[in-house]
Amino acid sequence: MRNVRLSKSFRDEFARLLAQGVRFGPRVVADKNRRVVDVIENILAPNPKRPSDPLLGICAYHVAKTPFVVLYDFDDSELRVHLIIHAKADRTLIDLSAVVW
């Protein structure tokens, strides 16, 4: 199984996105958090998907029943989660070189 490495940029943005969801209630926030963590640990780490985002040149995975897309890359030993974005975000504004690890 691959090790999972989450960037500081991912952690900060995920916290910000979840904080926006507080208006929908704590159960909704907890559910979205659980879904994203589950996808990273139980779907992407063991069996990452290869298709990449054509604009960003990195793998993108839309987490079902959430508005979130996880941006990542991987090799045989590690899954590197760069960012999480809203599915409707303007991807032309994303600068992967600004990701902080």
Side-chain angles (χ1 to χ4, degrees), residues 23-57:
R23 67 179 181 258
F24 299 110
R27 271 199 212 149
V28 172
V29 172
D31 178 64
K32 301 311 178 215
N33 182 62
R34 181 189 53 76
R35 287 179 187 279
V36 170
V37 170
D38 183 59
V39 160
I40 291 169
E41 292 178 351
N42 299 313
I43 295 175
L44 297 179
N47 188 27
K49 310 296 181 201
R50 287 234 177 250
S52 63
D53 183 290
L55 288 173
L56 299 172

Side-chain angles (χ1 to χ4, degrees), residues 8-22:
K8 181 179 181 332
S9 299
F10 167 86
R11 292 189 308 271
D12 292 348
E13 184 63 9
F14 191 34
R16 189 185 73 74
L17 289 168
L18 288 175
Q20 289 178 351
V22 168

